[in-house]
Structure formats: C-alpha cells, structure tokens
Amino acid sequence: VPSCSSSSVSFSSEPSSHQPSTRLYNAGTTKQQPKFPMPKSLSYGEESRTYRRTIYTHDDWIKHRAPNRYFLRAMTTFRSGVYANILLPVLSVVGVAAFTIVWNALAVQYVDFRGVTHPGLLASTFVPELHLPMAPFTLTSASLGLLLVFRTNTGYGRWDEARKNWGMNINRTRDLFRMAAAWYDDVGAGVTEQQRQKDLTTLSLATWAFVRSMKRHLSPDNDEAGFRKELFDKLPDSQAESILNAKHRPNRALFDLSCAIENLPMHFLRKNQLHVALTKFEDNLGSSERILASPVPLFYSRHTARFLFFWMLGLPLALYNSFKSWNHIMLIPMCAFISTFMFGIEELANQLEEPFTILPQQAFCDKIYQWCAEMVSWRPGDNGLAVNHYAKSCDFAPTSSTNTAMTASEQELS
C-alpha cells in the first residue's frame, strides 16, 4: 500500500466496504456544524418533490395549455407542496398583522359591532400606535425584486443544466450503441451470432449500469435498496458487487463500459469514436456533481431570505392605515395573500436549486435500458438493404460477399 511521506493519506487498491452517504455534515469537512438539528421526518413539501418528476407527452401539453388552467391551478392551491413549505413564515406575517390590529385597538381606538367608535383602553397612556410609513418599503422593493429575480434565474439555470446533462446522457447512449451495433465486425473477426449477441448485451448492460449508478450517486440514501436490487437483477453478481463496493460507483461503471467497448471486434479508430461518448459521460457526471455539491453561495441565499422575511414582517405596519375596513380587519387576509406569493417566489428558487430529486432520473434510466436492449438485435442488412462486408476492419479489404461492385477510384482509396 503506497503512502505519501509528507502526508498521512494512504491509498489502497483493496476493495472497500464504504457505503456512500448523502448526509450533509460528515467528519473532516470544513463546513460549520448546524446549530439546528436535522428534522426527524420529511415535511410534506419535501415529500411532494417526488411528484414533480414529470415527462410530458402531447396529451400533457394539451392539458397544460387548457383555457381553464387558471381555475384548476387555483383549486389545488391548498394542496401545493411549495405553499406547505412556507406556511410558517406566512403565519408569522399574519400574526404580526393580527397583533398590530389588536395593539392599535387598545392604544388608539376601535369600532364595535354597531359601528360606534370607542377610544382604546390604553388611549390615555403613553402606549404608541403601531404603524410605519410606506416610503421605506417602496424604496427597498426594487432591491428585493432584484435579489429574488437573480435567485430564481440561478435556480432555474441549475435545473436546466442538470436536465441537459441527462439529455446528453440519453443522446450519447443512443449514439454509442448505434455505432457499436453497426460497426461490430462479426464477419471480419469470424465470430458467431451468439457471441455477437453476448458482446452487445454486455455493452448494453454496462451502458445502463453507468447511468443507473449516476442516478444513485445524485440521489438520497432512500434509493440504495432499489439500486442494489436492480444491479443484481440485471448484472452478473461479480459485476454488481464491484460497482457496489467502489468508493465512486459511476467511475467503476464507466470503467466496465470502457472494457466492454475494448472487447468488441472492430477497428481501433472506431473504438476511439465510441470512447468519445464515454468522455462526454464523464463530463456530464462532473457537471452534475458540481451542481449537487455547490449551492448558490450561502451568504447570498441567506441574505435574500433575511431581507424578504423582515421586509414582510414590517409590511403589515405600513399597510395598516391603507385599510379603512372595520377595525382594519382586511389587513389580515391581504397580508396572508401577499406573503404567500412573495415567499413562494423564494421557495421556487429554493426548490429548483437542487434539481436531481425533481428530475425523472429513474424514467431516464429505464428508457436507456429499453432502447439499448432493443438495439442488441439490430444488425446491418436486417432490413433488406445491401451491406458491404470487409474481411478485416484494419485494412478494409473487400470480400467475395461484397454486394456492390467497387469503382476504380474506391479500390484505389481502399
């Protein structure tokens, strides 16, 4: 086991039983320990993220553009996971509004049920009226708007990049397997049909194993049991164990995929072209890891949350004199309405910031598995079109089975 003399870090080639964890705070990190404990159970808003893993079809887009969509969205307001997550700050603002009404009724005046105005019980004391001018909120609203716009744009940008990474994975798996099935040189290498099916099936499973390992790598710990079951159901036990025991599972799966490509009988230049797709897989994995491990700078998101929270807490005092209803009672529902949608904007950015638990990653993996499994049975010429076979993929020499005669210029080029 080699080790570095200037450091206590050592590197071992022995298999590790290390189980990956998605816990935020582990020993040896530079992050501050949380002052508040992790919740013992997931909130409704957190659990509802699983219902946002949507893949649209044409029928879904028709519903999405339906003329009655505004009424449908309004009817589901109280079932929204986004609004459930902001219930506490909204109730805080409503509480300030109710407290302001009661305080001013005691300190200034109130109106009874017959519409008669009476002085407050503390009107003759030095208890002041609670209210603020609207000017400070007007002046700072533009700054708050800029903070929220940047926050939501950044959150959507992270979601968009994660979705593009998975889209590139899907495209590259199709591209890789298309080339492998078309370039498999069973004629030049003299392999049997059974061997061709075995090699391409191994490549298909290795391709699926990488994307499934990537999905597990980017998912919470509750995906571990399903991941293990799928690996043992689809892969040989030894290959499944090697992936599960690896410290970085997607890297191990990508190594297996590279080995499966090297075992294919084809020209080395064509193999190099297949390896280009693997490099793109590595790039997509690294980009996704960066998104998962690096949030929007915490000082920015925390400052935005504090700004919004205290701004909203002070708003009922500024709006108090704007309502001439009975004892200013309409201040309460209006503050609930405004705070719900103001806090909702920040909550949308917060939900988009970590995109992997709202992306349909399992559906992507299942589709990749189905598409690769289908292409295993494809071979050049199975649709009746003429195919040129070559005896050796390294020198491109034509065999007697060539279906189309070569021109003089083509022979010269070959």
Side-chain angles (χ1 to χ4, degrees):
V1 179
S3 62
C4 179
S5 59
S6 62
S7 173
S8 61
V9 178
S10 62
F11 303 93
S12 173
S13 60
E14 298 179 0
S16 172
S17 60
H18 170 73
Q19 297 298 331
S21 173
T22 56
R23 290 179 297 177
L24 293 179
Y25 301 94
N26 298 320
T29 66
T30 59
K31 290 181 288 190
Q32 294 180 349
Q33 295 295 321
K35 296 182 179 179
F36 301 99
M38 291 291 291
K40 296 181 179 179
S41 60
L42 295 179
S43 64
Y44 172 76
E46 187 68 26
E47 291 181 340
S48 67
R49 289 174 64 86
T50 59
Y51 302 109
R52 300 180 190 135
R53 301 168 185 171
T54 51
I55 296 180
Y56 263 36
T57 63
H58 289 292
D59 292 339
D60 295 317
W61 282 114
I62 292 175
K63 296 178 182 178
H64 189 75
R65 297 187 293 262
N68 62 343
R69 62 185 181 275
Y70 297 103
F71 300 100
L72 295 177
R73 303 297 177 262
M75 291 171 59
T76 59
T77 298
F78 297 102
R79 300 200 302 269
S80 170
V82 172
Y83 298 148
N85 255 19
I86 60 174
L87 181 61
L88 289 179
V90 170
L91 290 179
S92 300
V93 175
V94 171
V96 171
F99 178 80
T100 302
I101 293 174
V102 174
W103 179 281
N104 289 337
L106 293 173
V108 184
Q109 62 183 19
Y110 67 93
V111 180
D112 63 17
F113 292 108
R114 294 175 297 178
V116 179
T117 302
H118 302 276
L121 298 177
L122 304 177
S124 59
T125 65
F126 295 100
V127 177
E129 178 185 3
L130 287 182
H131 72 278
L132 290 173
M134 199 65 188
F137 296 90
T138 303
L139 292 174
T140 57
S141 60
S143 300
L144 179 59
L146 288 175
L147 287 173
L148 291 175
V149 166
F150 178 81
R151 184 87 168 87
T152 52
N153 284 351
T154 304
Y156 176 78
R158 291 165 62 86
W159 178 91
D160 186 56
E161 183 177 357
R163 180 61 183 88
K164 287 177 179 177
N165 288 341
W166 274 101
M168 187 60 68
N169 280 346
I170 294 173
N171 295 344
R172 286 298 179 177
T173 53
R174 295 170 178 169
D175 201 33
L176 182 151
F177 214 86
R178 173 188 56 81
M179 292 186 291
W183 290 347
Y184 190 96
D185 191 12
D186 49 351
V187 175
V191 299
T192 63
E193 178 64 24
Q194 291 76 11
Q195 184 63 38
R196 172 189 169 91
Q197 294 290 322
K198 180 181 178 181
D199 290 343
L200 291 181
T201 299
T202 300
L203 180 66
S204 169
L205 292 175
T207 303
W208 168 83
F210 166 71
V211 293
R212 186 61 182 88
S213 298
M214 178 174 169
K215 188 258 180 181
R216 171 66 191 96
H217 189 64
L218 301 172
S219 300
D221 288 339
N222 56 14
D223 185 45
E224 179 69 17
F227 176 63
R228 287 176 172 272
K229 184 178 185 304
E230 287 187 68
L231 284 188
F232 283 110
D233 287 346
K234 293 182 172 66
L235 301 179
D237 290 350
S238 58
Q239 185 179 358
E241 287 288 352
S242 66
I243 294 176
L244 290 173
N245 292 333
K247 291 185 177 180
H248 196 285
R249 291 166 170 178
N251 271 351
R252 177 66 207 199
L254 201 60
F255 172 79
D256 293 344
L257 179 55
S258 183
C259 293
I261 292 175
E262 286 300 314
N263 289 334
L264 299 178
M266 66 175 60
H267 192 276
F268 75 93
L269 291 178
R270 290 180 167 178
K271 288 184 180 179
N272 289 345
Q273 192 65 29
L274 296 182
H275 281 293
V276 171
L278 271 62
T279 301
K280 180 58 68 174
F281 288 157
E282 194 73 63
D283 292 340
N284 293 336
L285 175 61
S287 174
S288 299
E289 288 177 328
R290 171 178 52 81
I291 294 174
L292 181 63
S294 303
V296 173
L298 295 179
F299 52 82
Y300 185 93
S301 56
R302 289 172 180 173
H303 175 72
T304 303
R306 290 166 184 152
F307 191 167
L308 176 61
F309 184 66
F310 290 117
W311 195 89
M312 289 303 306
L313 286 181
L315 187 62
L317 281 72
L319 293 177
Y320 178 79
N321 290 326
S322 300
F323 292 92
K324 306 303 180 182
S325 56
W326 180 78
N327 286 320
H328 306 264
I329 197 65
M330 290 303 297
L331 177 66
I332 294 177
M334 185 52 61
C335 285
F337 178 83
I338 296 175
S339 60
T340 296
F341 292 104
M342 289 294 290
F343 286 124
I345 296 174
E346 200 274 339
E347 179 64 18
L348 291 178
N350 207 41
Q351 292 287 330
L352 289 169
E353 188 175 1
E354 189 276 285
F356 299 105
T357 49
I358 58 175
L359 282 174
Q361 296 182 102
Q362 186 63 47
F364 296 153
C365 295
D366 294 342
K367 286 295 184 182
I368 289 172
Y369 175 77
Q370 295 170 11
W371 291 327
C372 290
E374 180 187 22
M375 284 189 281
V376 167
S377 61
W378 295 358
R379 62 177 302 128
D382 61 0
N383 58 352
L385 296 179
V387 178
N388 292 331
H389 295 290
Y390 298 95
K392 294 182 180 180
S393 58
C394 58
D395 59 10
F396 304 101
T399 68
S400 58
S401 60
T402 301
N403 294 321
T404 306
M406 299 177 65
T407 64
S409 59
E410 289 173 337
Q411 293 175 357
E412 182 180 358
L413 288 174
S414 66

